[in-house]
């Protein structure tokens, strides 16, 4: 059974995942309004993934006999100076999320909750990819400089991203009842 401390930490992380979704959706709206539909698509799919991260964590709390708690999801910033700033903020946010996930992993170990430790490792690994994706895009933007024409190349590339459910087996289990 999940301890109260872990139940609270995981619930707060569910909230943080929902905030991430809200943040990336707001960034997507900025990109869309600026004419970068492909970048808007990438950020919108990122928002969907964050929702899936939150729901999956919420389900773990229930599965382990914990009681999820709910708080306000804070409002994200909605205006940005540039696409470069958007992705710098994506990276800064993901580094912050990594710190939060690591704290939950440490708490799981302290409490000898091997099931939750095993569960949170998926998120530990996911954060490697989350940070790398943002770093790779920032590196490309650094090459492009402030050349809007070149940013359109990035826009076309990011238009190709499609949503893949990060937890397809869990979704199938739910569908099967
Ligand atoms: Fe839920 Fe961006 O990691």
């Amino acid at each position: 059974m999940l301890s109260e401390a872990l139940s609270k930490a995981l619930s707060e992380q569910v909230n943080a995942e929902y905030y991430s979704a809200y943040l990336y959706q707001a960034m997507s709206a900025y990109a869309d309004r600026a004419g970068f539909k492909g970048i808007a698509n990438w950020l919108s799919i990122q928002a969907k993934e964050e929702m899936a991260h939150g729901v999956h964590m919420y389900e773990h709390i229930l599965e382990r006999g914990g009681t999820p708690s709910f708080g306000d999801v804070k409002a994200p910033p909605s205006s940005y100076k540039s696409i470069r700033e958007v992705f710098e903020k994506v990276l800064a946010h993901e580094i912050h999320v990594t710190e939060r996930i690591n704290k939950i992993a440490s708490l799981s170990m302290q409490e000898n909750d091997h099931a939750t430790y095993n569960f949170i490792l998926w998120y530990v690994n996911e954060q490697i990819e989350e940070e790398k994706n943002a770093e790779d895009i920032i590196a490309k933007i650094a090459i492009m400089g402030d050349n809007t024409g070149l940013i359109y190349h990035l826009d076309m590339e990011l238009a190709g991203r499609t949503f893949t459910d990060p937890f397809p087996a869990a979704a199938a289990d739910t569908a099967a009842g």
Side-chain angles (χ1 to χ4, degrees):
M1 181 157 176
L2 208 57
S3 71
E4 236 175 77
L6 266 174
S7 210
K8 182 170 178 287
L10 288 168
S11 290
E12 285 170 359
Q13 188 56 32
V14 171
N15 184 284
E17 299 289 347
Y18 276 66
Y19 173 73
S20 297
Y22 220 29
L23 173 67
Y24 295 146
Q25 203 66 66
M27 288 174 168
S28 176
Y30 163 79
D32 189 288
R33 293 296 86 204
F36 295 108
K37 304 283 184 188
I39 292 169
N41 169 66
W42 191 94
L43 288 161
S44 196
I45 287 171
Q46 191 66 23
K48 279 198 184 89
E49 280 197 1
E50 299 299 356
M51 291 292 291
H53 295 167
V55 169
H56 190 60
M57 196 168 281
Y58 159 80
E59 287 170 349
H60 177 78
I61 299 170
L62 286 180
E63 200 175 355
R64 298 288 326 288
T67 302
S69 53
F70 297 89
D72 293 341
V73 178
K74 71 177 178 178
S78 54
S79 69
Y80 298 90
K81 289 198 286 279
S82 62
I83 293 297
R84 180 200 295 259
E85 188 194 19
V86 166
F87 282 102
E88 283 170 353
K89 292 210 162 157
V90 170
L91 178 60
H93 182 67
E94 288 301 336
I95 289 170
H96 166 69
V97 172
T98 300
E99 286 167 7
R100 295 185 60 103
I101 295 288
N102 286 344
K103 279 187 189 156
I104 295 173
S106 299
L107 183 60
S108 309
M109 280 195 289
Q110 276 166 32
E111 298 202 358
N112 274 328
D113 186 335
H114 294 219
T116 298
Y117 182 66
N118 185 49
F119 171 82
I120 207 70
L121 283 185
W122 185 91
Y123 289 82
V124 170
N125 287 321
E126 172 71 3
Q127 285 311 117
I128 297 170
E129 194 186 317
E130 294 281 67
E131 288 186 24
K132 183 166 189 330
N133 287 344
E135 280 167 2
D136 287 351
I137 293 171
I138 289 168
K140 285 179 187 170
I141 293 173
I143 295 166
M144 293 166 180
D146 290 320
N147 184 323
T148 310
L150 290 178
I151 298 285
Y152 267 109
H153 282 286
L154 179 69
D155 191 62
M156 283 188 283
E157 182 189 330
L158 299 189
R161 185 179 188 188
T162 53
F163 178 68
T164 307
D165 188 337
F167 310 105
D173 286 352
T174 308

